[in-house]
């Protein structure tokens, strides 16, 4: 049996993430129930709305098993809302959103603005090679604090002249992006995650 990557199939770009994982060389499994989560080697948490996803995790009885798998060292890749769920904390705090603390970051929800403020940008990501990576930001968060064990992978310039905003990071076998790599044809983020997960 090959390396299986679960895609949390509650909300967001589930089919797109599954297709990218397949193109990067993994067997995607759509995860909607605890037994499906138990069967996978790694997990992708797509975008969507983090408070709604928190509710759906509870309804599907995945909330606690997901926490146990993450504590047990399961590799995970979160994009947009997935980043928020994997983070240590949200600033300002929001009790409606579950934070699993899988990566030592604090994030700000909807940091770039509302849906109408969505945008695309080419990012310089040395980890992915010399070619820029197209990033699609939709009601995206950003990282306001990264712990000492966190590696920043990509930033975007700040419109207010402040420090550049962290929009992609990794720690151990956890990868997060504030944007939606599944909405482009570039599978390098998924390939990077697979290499991290298999290591």
């Amino acid at each position: 049996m090959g390396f299986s990557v679960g895609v949390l199939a509650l909300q967001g770009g589930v089919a797109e993430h599954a297709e990218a994982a397949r193109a990067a060389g993994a067997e995607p499994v759509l995860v909607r129930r605890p037994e499906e989560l138990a069967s996978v080697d790694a997990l992708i948490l797509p975008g969507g709305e983090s408070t709604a996803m928190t509710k759906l995790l509870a309804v599907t009885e995945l909330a606690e098993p997901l926490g146990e798998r993450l504590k047990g060292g399961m590799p995970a890749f979160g994009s947009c809302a997935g980043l928020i769920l994997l983070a240590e904390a949200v600033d300002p705090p929001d009790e409606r959103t579950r934070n699993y603390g899988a990566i030592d970051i604090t994030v700000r929800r909807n940091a770039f603005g509302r849906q109408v403020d969505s945008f695309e940008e080419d990012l310089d990501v040395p980890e992915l090679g010399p070619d820029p990576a197209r990033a699609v930001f939709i009601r995206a968060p950003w990282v306001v604090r990264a712990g000492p064990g966190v590696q920043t992978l990509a930033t975007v310039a700040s419109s207010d002249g402040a420090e550049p905003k962290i929009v992609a990071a990794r720690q151990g076998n956890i990868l997060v992006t504030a944007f939606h790599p599944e909405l482009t044809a570039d599978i390098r983020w998924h390939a990077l995650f697979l290499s991290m997960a298999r290591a």
Side-chain angles (χ1 to χ4, degrees):
M1 170 120 179
F3 192 84
S4 68
V5 173
V7 181
L8 188 63
L10 304 180
Q11 212 188 31
V14 174
E16 293 86 351
H17 269 298
E19 189 51 49
R22 183 177 287 110
E27 192 50 53
V29 175
L30 301 188
V31 172
R32 297 186 182 95
R33 300 195 302 272
E35 54 268 31
E36 291 159 347
L37 177 63
S39 75
V40 300
D41 300 304
L43 185 69
I44 296 170
L45 292 81
E49 210 286 317
S50 56
T51 54
M53 285 178 80
T54 297
K55 284 182 188 163
L56 290 167
L57 282 164
V59 167
T60 55
E61 299 183 344
L62 279 165
E64 299 315 317
L66 176 55
E68 290 304 314
R69 288 295 313 270
L70 290 169
K71 275 194 195 112
M74 176 182 66
F77 171 18
S79 65
C80 198
L83 170 150
I84 294 168
L85 292 172
L86 291 173
E88 185 72 42
V90 174
D91 177 32
D94 188 340
E95 61 190 25
R96 299 170 303 161
T97 297
R98 174 93 180 236
N99 299 110
Y100 283 99
I103 181 169
D104 186 15
I105 58 173
T106 301
V107 300
R108 183 158 297 146
R109 297 176 64 225
N110 300 334
F112 289 99
R114 298 171 308 163
Q115 194 87 10
V116 294
D117 302 308
S118 301
F119 66 100
E120 295 186 25
E121 187 162 321
D122 285 330
L123 303 179
D124 177 31
V125 190
E127 289 263 325
L128 300 185
D131 294 333
R134 192 72 173 166
V136 180
F137 292 87
I138 304 170
R139 291 180 62 200
W142 69 49
V143 176
V144 294
R145 180 201 61 85
V150 175
Q151 178 188 1
T152 296
L153 299 180
T155 61
V156 296
S158 176
S159 58
D160 57 11
E163 289 285 304
K165 307 302 184 192
I166 299 171
V167 293
R170 65 181 286 183
Q171 182 178 23
N173 59 13
I174 304 295
L175 175 66
V176 292
T177 63
F179 47 89
H180 293 267
E182 77 281 7
L183 296 182
T184 73
D186 189 347
I187 64 164
R188 288 179 295 166
W189 288 105
H190 293 79
L192 172 63
F193 175 56
L194 287 180
S195 71
M196 291 166 54
R198 288 180 165 128

